[in-house]
Amino acid sequence: MRSLLQLIQRVGKTVLLAAALTLPATALACDPAPGRKVIDALLSLDLNNAEAQLSQWRSQDASDPMLGFYEALKTLSVGYIESGHDQSFRESLWGDALKQLKKVVRKTGSAVESGSATPRQRLAYGMAQSFSSVLHTLRKEMIRSYKAG
C-alpha cells in the first residue's frame, strides 16, 4: 500500500511539472483580466483604483465591448458608496448608468442581430440588457424593464 502511495505521488509531481512546462508564457504571468481588476477595486470600495484601472483599460483597448459595462458598474458603485442615504443622488446615477449601458447595447446590438458578433460582444450585449432591465425595475419603470431585456 505504501509503495502505491509513493508511486501516485511521483506520477502526480511529474504530471504537474509537465503541465507547468507546457503552459504558455502569458498564462504563467498570471495577469488578471482588466474587468477583474475593476471588480476587485470596487469590492474593496476603492473608487480611485477602479477609475485608474478603467483608464488603463481604455488606453489599452478602448474598443473592448465589455469596457462600457464595467464603466456603468463603477457609476453605480459611486452611487452606493458615496450617496449615503441620498436616494435622489443614487437615482440620478442610475440614469447615468443606463445611458452607459445603452451605448453598450447600441455598439454590440447590430453585430448580435446580424449573427456576426464575437462571444465577447454577445456577452456584453446580454449583460448590458439584463443590467438595464434591473435598473429600470429599481426605478419602477416596468414596461421599460420588460423591453430592455
Side-chain angles (χ1 to χ4, degrees), residues 25-42:
T26 54
L28 291 174
C30 294
D31 186 23
R36 175 60 190 257
K37 291 177 182 178
V38 173
I39 293 293
D40 287 345
L42 292 176

Side-chain angles (χ1 to χ4, degrees), residues 48-62:
N48 292 330
N49 185 22
E51 182 55 44
Q53 295 300 327
L54 284 167
S55 294
Q56 183 180 358
W57 191 356
R58 259 184 245 112
S59 69
Q60 291 173 349
D61 188 7

